[in-house]
Amino acid sequence: MDLAGLAVLVEAAQAGSLAGAARRLGISPLMATRRLAALEDAMGVLLMQRTTRSLALTPEGEAMLPFAQAMLENEAAARASVRPSSAGASGLLRLTASAAFGRKVVVPVVAEFLKDNPQVSVDLLLTDTVVDIVGQGIDLAIRIARLKDSALIARRLADNPRGLYATPGYLADRGTPAAVADLAEHECLCLSGTTHWSFAGDGRERRIRVRGRFTANSIEGLRDICLAGLGIAVLSEWDVREEVARGALVALTLSDGALEPLAVWGVHPSARFVPPKLRLFMDALGKALR
């Protein structure tokens, strides 16, 4: 079976257009159209219904898609199995991460990874929304969370220590909270829609209602307002290490509780084949985080 045509089918289904598939494969739109047509001729069925404005899988295309994905994964696995270890990684690596973590942590790792692997190219999507990595053709999503069950494969890369932070000026004006309950008397800077913070202590989880005059849909927004001395924020250690070192922010310790632990996860679509570019990047990111 024509693997080149199968690649067009898979990429077009994910990208939603033959032009998008062509960009991902590094070929011209005309070549993508010809390869898909050749595959349909060989199969004797129409796999994609296409007009000037839209593209959609036919029922036959829907049935064919998972087999096409499996054949391409197996072909890539076969190539990787005979490639010399000295050959390193190659190909396009598509990544997504949250904006703050991506800029501060992922981008420097990507820079070093590109230097060490000259045959690799990287497409990085920075967004604070959860991306459908299968639908958008993403190889790896880097997420900081307690993961829910899903069909995706997750690898724990590192712990993600978090803490409560405020400026010395804020604490001088409002006092320093000593216990979880004290937070009710403070300006708590929260992500939009958040009404409670969760703490672990004495072998149980406690949820405390928090409120303040500022919320944001971005950790970067909370961090900047916290640095302006307007409240207490929950922030990751990697995000405020420099500010704490120079005394711009103070880490708070409560006597009866600590924030629930989170981790940095690498989430990818398939366990059957993890290409060298993906495995090596996860190794590099995990090493940098540790």
Side-chain angles (χ1 to χ4, degrees):
M1 190 167 293
D2 179 18
L3 292 176
L6 292 176
V8 172
L9 175 68
V10 170
E11 294 293 350
Q14 293 179 346
S17 70
L18 281 171
R23 285 194 299 272
R24 294 180 175 197
L25 294 170
I27 60 177
S28 68
L30 178 59
M31 181 61 71
T33 300
R34 287 177 175 173
R35 288 181 180 178
L36 179 59
L39 176 65
E40 290 174 327
D41 288 343
M43 297 289 295
V45 294
L46 185 68
L47 297 173
M48 283 193 155
Q49 191 72 49
R50 40 209 185 265
T51 69
T52 56
R53 293 189 175 183
S54 65
L55 178 148
L57 289 167
T58 63
E60 293 79 7
E62 291 277 5
M64 181 65 190
L65 185 61
F67 295 100
Q69 292 168 326
M71 283 186 276
L72 291 171
E73 285 185 358
N74 289 335
E75 189 266 348
R79 288 181 180 274
S81 68
V82 298
R83 181 183 297 144
S85 58
S86 59
S90 62
L92 173 62
L93 180 62
R94 303 186 187 96
L95 309 171
T96 184
S98 63
F101 187 74
R103 279 190 278 268
K104 278 205 165 185
V105 179
V106 177
V107 167
V109 175
V110 167
E112 292 301 316
F113 187 73
L114 290 172
K115 293 176 185 176
D116 294 339
N117 298 274
Q119 300 304 312
V120 171
S121 55
V122 171
D123 180 23
L124 174 61
L125 171 63
L126 297 181
T127 176
D128 290 328
T129 61
V130 176
V131 173
D132 175 7
I133 65 175
V134 175
Q136 295 198 29
I138 301 293
D139 297 301
L140 179 68
I142 303 154
R143 293 176 179 165
I144 301 174
R146 287 196 298 186
L147 291 186
K148 300 178 181 178
D149 292 337
S150 76
L152 302 174
I153 308 304
R155 170 177 161 185
R156 186 187 180 104
L157 300 176
D159 292 332
N160 185 72
R162 301 182 305 153
L164 297 172
Y165 295 90
T167 61
Y170 174 86
L171 298 175
D173 289 341
R174 299 290 299 271
T176 301
V180 171
D182 295 342
L183 294 172
E185 306 301 322
H186 284 268
E187 288 286 333
C188 296
L189 309 174
C190 301
L191 288 170
S192 300
T194 299
T195 58
H196 292 76
W197 286 344
S198 296
F199 295 86
D202 298 325
R204 62 191 180 94
E205 183 181 72
R206 296 179 59 189
R207 296 180 75 245
I208 182 75
R209 185 173 183 84
V210 291
R211 55 193 163 199
R213 293 185 298 136
F214 179 81
T215 60
N217 69 341
S218 149
I219 289 294
E220 290 176 308
L222 298 181
R223 176 181 171 275
D224 290 347
I225 292 296
C226 184
L227 279 167
L230 295 173
I232 298 172
V234 174
L235 299 168
S236 297
E237 285 185 4
W238 54 261
D239 198 20
V240 294
R241 189 171 291 117
E242 295 177 4
E243 290 75 11
V244 171
R246 70 170 188 262
L249 287 177
V250 175
L252 307 180
T253 301
L254 305 179
S255 62
D256 57 347
L259 288 164
E260 62 172 342
L262 297 180
V264 181
W265 297 88
V267 182
H268 52 98
S270 174
R272 284 179 299 177
F273 172 58
V274 180
K277 61 185 179 182
L278 178 53
R279 175 177 51 80
L280 290 174
F281 183 79
M282 285 194 290
D283 290 345
L285 181 58
K287 182 179 178 180
L289 290 169
R290 291 188 294 273

